[in-house]
């Protein structure tokens, strides 16, 4: 019966299926699998830590699928990773093992999502994460238009079509932010239209001066910028 349906109708049916039932849909037949994979993996949102190891394992399994299946990797256009409530994973060895597996899978999967257009990474600034959450290297995203996350990763993301950039720096290192902006300007200096930088902590007068200098340099780095917001937390 399903083979008699036109593909346009099959796409509409699959688009209305709850994602938790999508694995069943993909097993209907090869056509449903071919149509369903781009829909299932178009937008990936990972929030692995707040509710314990079950979601951590699910997030890692999702990344493993992206690593192992090129069709799934090519389907990803938007990815969000929220590391909120990381703290329980810095004190228990069993949890640390799971967290290490997650970050290793993330580092391996990210370079494979070659059609990525939007990447958002939240709460990566916690210094407790640093020993395991190393940043992926050499990610060439020819289609990435929106990035939100820590400044450190911008040195490793290569995109010449960035249009919106939101840098969040929890540690408040102005020099790191400056380096990130220079890296972005080298490839996307003329394409960027909106820039927002939030530095949670500006420690002293010298850093305030650096902050002012950063503000003055931005127009020359991004001459076609239309929206600019620099925010500091004290």
């Amino acid at each position: 019966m399903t083979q008699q349906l036109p593909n346009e109708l099959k796409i509409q049916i699959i688009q209305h299926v709850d994602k938790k039932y999508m694995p069943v849909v993909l097993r209907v037949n090869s056509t449903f699998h071919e149509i369903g994979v781009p829909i299932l993996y178009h937008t990936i949102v990972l929030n692995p830590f707040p509710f314990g190891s079950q979601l951590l394992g699910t997030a890692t399994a999702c990344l493993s699928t992206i690593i192992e299946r090129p069709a799934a990797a090519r389907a990803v256009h938007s990815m969000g990773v929220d590391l909120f409530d990381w703290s329980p994973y810095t004190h228990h060895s069993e949890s640390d093992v799971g967290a290490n597996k997650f970050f290793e899978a993330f580092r391996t999967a990210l370079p494979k999502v070659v059609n990525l257009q939007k990447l958002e990474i939240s709460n990566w600034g916690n210094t407790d994460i640093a020993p395991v959450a190393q940043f992926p290297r050499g990610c060439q995203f020819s289609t990435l238009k929106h990035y939100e996350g820590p400044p450190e990763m911008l040195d490793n993301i290569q995109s010449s079509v960035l249009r919106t950039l939101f840098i969040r720096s929890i540690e408040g290192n102005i020099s790191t932010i400056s380096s990130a902006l220079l890296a972005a300007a080298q490839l996307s200096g003329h394409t960027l239209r909106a820039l927002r930088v939030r530095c949670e902590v500006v420690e002293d007068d010298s850093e305030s001066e650096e902050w002012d200098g950063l503000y003055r340099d931005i127009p020359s780095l991004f001459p076609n910028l239309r929206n600019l917001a620099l925010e500091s937390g004290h």
Side-chain angles (χ1 to χ4, degrees):
M1 179 66 73
T2 58
Q3 293 179 353
Q4 299 174 6
L5 297 174
N7 284 349
E8 292 79 6
L9 183 56
K10 292 176 184 177
I11 292 173
Q12 291 183 29
I13 292 172
I14 295 175
Q15 286 175 335
H16 287 84
V17 174
D18 191 303
K19 275 198 171 185
K20 66 182 177 182
Y21 300 118
M22 282 295 289
V24 177
V25 174
L26 297 183
R27 290 194 291 268
V28 171
N29 57 40
S30 60
T31 301
F32 268 65
H33 186 276
E34 183 179 352
I35 295 173
V37 166
I39 296 173
L40 177 60
Y41 290 96
H42 181 277
T43 301
I44 302 295
V45 179
L46 304 176
N47 191 12
F49 297 116
F51 303 104
S53 59
Q54 183 174 358
L55 281 183
L56 178 58
T58 301
T60 305
C62 177
L63 292 172
S64 296
T65 300
I66 292 172
I67 294 169
E68 297 167 3
R69 301 182 181 179
R74 290 193 300 269
V76 180
H77 285 67
S78 175
M79 178 179 286
V81 181
D82 189 349
L83 304 179
F84 179 74
D85 201 14
W86 159 269
S87 55
Y89 294 85
T90 60
H91 306 292
H92 302 90
S93 58
E94 184 177 347
S95 298
D96 285 345
V97 171
N100 274 282
K101 289 181 179 179
F102 169 79
F103 286 118
E104 178 61 32
F106 179 68
R107 288 194 295 272
T108 306
L110 196 57
K112 296 181 180 294
V113 288
V114 293
N115 295 318
L116 195 64
Q117 296 183 12
K118 182 178 182 180
L119 176 61
E120 296 184 352
I121 302 172
S122 304
N123 297 301
W124 195 303
N126 189 329
T127 54
D128 291 334
I129 299 176
V132 283
Q134 299 175 9
F135 295 100
R137 298 288 178 180
C139 298
Q140 298 184 15
F141 296 130
S142 60
T143 58
L144 188 68
K145 297 180 180 179
H146 171 86
Y147 172 78
E148 176 179 338
E152 293 86 350
M153 187 174 285
L154 276 175
D155 285 337
N156 304 320
I157 291 178
Q158 300 176 24
S159 171
S160 60
V161 293
L162 276 175
R163 294 185 65 85
T164 61
L165 183 58
F166 181 11
I167 296 177
R168 296 173 177 264
S169 178
I170 294 179
E171 295 182 357
N173 191 321
I174 303 296
S175 61
T176 302
I177 295 174
S178 297
S179 297
L181 291 177
L182 287 172
Q186 287 180 356
L187 293 176
S188 296
H190 290 276
T191 63
L192 200 70
R193 297 294 185 269
L195 172 63
R196 180 183 176 190
V197 180
R198 176 155 185 84
C199 183
E200 297 295 341
V201 180
V202 177
E203 294 289 351
D204 51 36
D205 292 339
S206 63
E207 289 197 348
S208 295
E209 292 176 1
E210 289 184 55
W211 188 251
D212 292 338
L214 179 64
Y215 183 83
R216 291 192 298 268
D217 291 340
I218 285 175
S220 61
L221 293 175
F222 306 103
N224 296 319
L225 201 64
R226 296 174 182 171
N227 297 289
L228 172 63
L230 299 183
E231 307 165 1
S232 62
H234 295 273

